[in-house]
Amino acid sequence: MRERMNVTVWNEFYEERTYPSVSSVYPDGLHVVLGQALAEHLSPEAHVRVALQEEPEHGLTQAVLDGTDVLLWWGHLKHDEVSDEVVERVRRRVLDGMGLLILHSAIESKVARALLGTSCKIASWRHDDSELLWTILPGHDIVRGVPNPVVIPKGEMYGEPMDIPEPDELVFISSYEGGEVLRSGCAWQRGKGRIFFLASGHEESPIYFQPEIRRVLANAVQWATPPAQPQPKVTRKGEWPRNWWAEA
Ligand code: ZN
């Protein structure tokens, strides 16, 4: 495990305050439950903070992004209201090494489209379908400790073709009770940054409360965390390690 992971959970935080079908599942917001899932698996190494769309600069100043190892992105109905400036800031930070988790409907977000280069549109969707999340790469870090398949009793069908670039690694596919399938766990490298898309996570169902999904999220954060920067090998009076740079 990494020494320290700085994780920022970004949320649109609109439907939880607008629609009873969502607020009944996530009364405090999806970001709270996502953050709890990570803390459950990654404490004390992970430091989790939240950024919301309504905040100035959507909570994603350059300083916040510079201090973020992995960013989780949850959005659905307000993609178009995300500023292009912030999208560009996120894109550059991923190219520079920050990990990015694209969650559920966020596959159609500006951030996802900017980094993946396609429309990312799904061909169809349907609420209240059951889903089986099948592991395709059994040795992958993201599936460690995850049963195969993960059974999601009620979620949302997303149908292919989904207009994404070919994943570098296809980690999961999902099948739905209507017979459709989806490339539901996709990994890409962009610049120095690792990107993972997990489709499961419909906002009207308690999917982010499921232990198996929480495990996937935590695994994905660890996988996407950039390697620690090597420390400068400076010795002073034979003392090592010392934070010489902090004494200036
Ligand atoms: Zn949904």
Side-chain angles (χ1 to χ4, degrees):
M1 185 173 283
R2 311 288 186 189
E3 283 179 14
R4 179 94 167 152
M5 286 170 277
N6 293 300
V7 183
T8 301
V9 179
W10 189 91
N11 188 12
E12 179 180 277
F13 197 26
Y14 171 71
E15 288 167 273
E16 302 98 310
R17 295 184 289 191
T18 309
Y19 303 118
S21 61
V22 182
S23 63
S24 60
V25 182
Y26 295 102
D28 301 319
L30 283 145
H31 52 282
V32 172
V33 176
L34 289 166
Q36 288 167 346
L38 300 181
E40 177 181 292
H41 285 280
L42 303 176
S43 286
E45 289 81 4
H47 173 255
V48 181
R49 72 173 131 194
V50 165
L52 301 174
Q53 185 160 351
E54 69 196 23
E55 294 175 310
E57 303 183 59
H58 308 316
L60 298 176
T61 62
Q62 189 65 55
V64 167
L65 289 175
D66 286 346
T68 298
D69 295 312
V70 181
L71 176 67
L72 279 69
W73 195 276
W74 205 101
H76 182 203
L77 298 179
K78 302 286 183 182
H79 295 323
D80 290 345
E81 296 176 24
V82 175
S83 101
D84 291 336
E85 190 181 339
V86 170
V87 171
E88 176 59 12
R89 200 179 289 160
V90 170
R91 189 185 73 87
R92 285 174 185 271
R93 184 70 187 96
V94 170
L95 298 180
D96 194 40
M98 181 179 74
L100 175 68
L101 268 58
I102 299 168
L103 302 175
H104 188 55
S105 43
I107 190 60
E108 294 188 354
S109 67
K110 283 187 182 180
V111 159
R113 286 183 277 141
L115 279 155
L116 298 177
T118 58
S119 76
C120 295
K121 287 206 173 307
I122 50 171
S124 57
W125 61 90
R126 184 175 56 245
H127 290 179
D128 299 338
D129 260 30
S130 64
E131 172 184 350
L132 298 174
L133 182 70
W134 297 95
T135 293
I136 299 301
L137 291 178
H140 200 282
D141 289 346
I142 292 177
V143 307
R144 195 168 7 93
V146 177
N148 183 28
V150 176
V151 179
I152 298 172
K154 195 168 90 164
E156 180 177 18
M157 181 279 288
Y158 277 1
E160 297 274 4
M162 173 170 57
D163 182 26
I164 55 171
E166 192 70 22
D168 297 334
E169 296 172 308
L170 181 57
V171 181
F172 297 112
I173 60 170
S174 286
S175 58
Y176 302 93
E177 65 180 276
E180 297 90 347
V181 295
L182 182 81
R183 292 166 290 169
S184 52
C186 303
W188 296 271
Q189 178 98 30
R190 286 292 183 271
K192 298 179 192 164
R194 288 180 164 185
I195 300 173
F196 183 65
F197 162 58
L198 179 67
S200 314
H202 179 55
E203 62 279 9
E204 294 174 311
S205 304
I207 295 170
Y208 294 133
F209 288 95
Q210 280 194 230
E212 312 94 318
I213 297 297
R214 292 163 87 91
R215 164 70 73 168
V216 171
L217 293 169
N219 287 350
V221 165
Q222 283 189 283
W223 169 84
T225 299
Q229 295 297 315
Q231 298 294 318
K233 290 186 178 174
V234 173
T235 55
R236 193 179 270 193
K237 297 174 187 169
E239 294 169 323
W240 171 259
R242 271 194 81 166
N243 294 333
W244 60 272
W245 55 86
E247 294 170 0

